[in-house]
Amino acid sequence: MDQALGFHTAKALLEWQVELGADEAIGDAPVDRYALEEAAPKPARATAPQPAAPVQQSAPQSSPGSAIDPVADATRLAAGASDLAGLRAVMEGFPHCDLRQGAKNFVFSDGHPGARVMVIGEAPGRDEDIQGKPFVGRAGQLLDKMFAAIEMGREREGDQALYITNILPWRPPQNRDPKPDEMAMMLPFVKRHVEIANPDVLVLMGNISCQGILGRRGITRLRGQWTEALGKPVLPMFHPAYLLRSPIMKREAWADLLSLKTRLQESA
Ligand code: URA
């Protein structure tokens, strides 16, 4: 913090930035993007910056000459699945998502399908890809500890049970963020997954999950705020991978877990 500003001015400036939507630090040092633009070679024709489209609206383009619409196909297949085994089978055989080519395993879910709480993460990482189960790497171990702290878990039964899945069932290469078209074509399956599992509450882990289910990012602001989606109460939380990088945020995660516990007790 600039010492010359003084505490109160610096705090007011910071709050002003948060008001404007700059609520996540993505680098240690500021980048003057105007200066970068000056330095970069000018494109032949100026194009207006495109706003990021919500995932649900960005239907993937069919390849030229192909009449296949992956989102429509996914919607049809998902609607035809009457139980989790059927859903798993149609997802595993879904041919349009290129991520399946690079993945070792298809990762569907873990835990108890009848659980009151369904956790939705982002996508398998390396360990999940190897084991074919969601949240089994370091982030998954933290997730287990977090829920154990409120006496819940994927191995538990009854009201303490947990059901866990991801927006994407295949690992993106180098753990890159899922692309909008990948998410759009897999979302009909996620929605059907929620319908069939029919939990009391959804917990969305991190931005990608919020983008998919709520059509919104900005986890710093969304977290801890109960909302509704897919006909369920929804609690966005910090992703455990983020908590591993920023342990100071565990305090917020703990508050969210307590809020979840209270909500479950109130609606038992
Ligand atoms: N991160 C996720 O979002 N999901 C996993 O399954 C593993 C890591």
Side-chain angles (χ1 to χ4, degrees):
M1 186 185 299
D2 188 339
Q3 297 298 325
L5 280 180
F7 173 78
H8 292 290
T9 313
K11 184 164 176 280
L13 282 171
L14 200 56
E15 282 165 358
W16 178 66
Q17 289 193 27
V18 171
E19 271 304 299
L20 291 176
D23 55 3
E24 286 189 54
I26 55 173
D28 290 337
V31 176
D32 182 349
R33 300 203 182 274
Y34 293 102
L36 287 180
E37 241 169 51
E38 294 280 294
K42 295 266 182 286
R45 195 157 55 87
T47 52
Q50 299 297 309
V55 165
Q56 279 97 333
Q57 289 160 22
S58 58
Q61 302 296 309
S62 305
S63 53
S66 136
I68 292 169
D69 174 350
V71 177
D73 211 23
T75 306
R76 180 183 60 79
L77 289 166
S82 56
D83 56 19
L84 291 177
L87 183 69
R88 186 191 169 110
V90 289
M91 282 177 76
E92 202 164 4
F94 185 67
H96 309 302
C97 185
D98 288 344
L99 292 175
R100 58 178 296 150
Q101 323 301 351
K104 286 191 176 61
N105 274 302
F106 169 77
V107 179
F108 184 65
S109 69
D110 197 19
H112 202 297
R116 294 187 69 197
V117 176
M118 180 169 180
V119 173
I120 305 183
E122 172 181 334
R126 183 179 167 274
D127 297 300
E128 292 76 20
D129 186 36
I130 292 170
Q131 295 189 39
K133 276 189 189 181
F135 282 105
V136 291
R138 279 185 69 224
Q141 286 158 20
L142 178 56
L143 180 135
D144 285 340
K145 278 190 197 151
M146 287 161 63
F147 280 93
I150 54 164
E151 290 159 334
M152 298 189 76
R154 60 179 106 192
E155 313 287 352
R156 300 187 188 218
E157 299 285 328
D159 281 358
Q160 297 185 329
L162 211 56
Y163 187 54
I164 304 174
T165 190
N166 281 312
I167 296 283
L168 292 178
W170 294 289
R171 181 191 185 195
Q174 275 85 48
N175 296 347
R176 65 155 168 75
D177 276 359
K179 294 181 185 165
D181 67 330
E182 292 160 353
M183 286 175 69
M185 73 176 82
M186 298 316 290
L187 269 177
F189 296 115
V190 181
K191 290 178 180 170
R192 187 77 186 118
H193 204 157
V194 172
E195 268 173 16
I196 298 174
N198 194 22
D200 290 349
V201 166
L202 293 176
V203 174
L204 306 182
M205 288 299 180
N207 262 326
I208 299 292
S209 179
C210 289
Q211 175 77 62
I213 303 297
L214 306 176
R216 297 170 63 195
R217 295 177 78 110
I219 191 64
T220 306
R221 253 195 253 181
L222 293 173
R223 65 136 282 274
Q225 308 289 326
W226 283 93
T227 182
E228 223 183 276
L230 311 179
K232 307 280 176 202
V234 172
L235 179 65
M237 286 186 63
F238 283 135
H239 194 289
Y242 171 70
L243 296 174
L244 287 172
R245 295 193 301 273
S246 307
I248 194 145
M249 296 301 181
K250 286 183 184 172
R251 199 177 53 165
E252 276 75 8
W254 176 235
D256 298 346
L257 288 167
L258 291 179
S259 166
L260 173 64
K261 188 173 181 177
T262 304
R263 178 109 188 190
L264 291 170
Q265 280 167 347
E266 282 171 359
S267 59

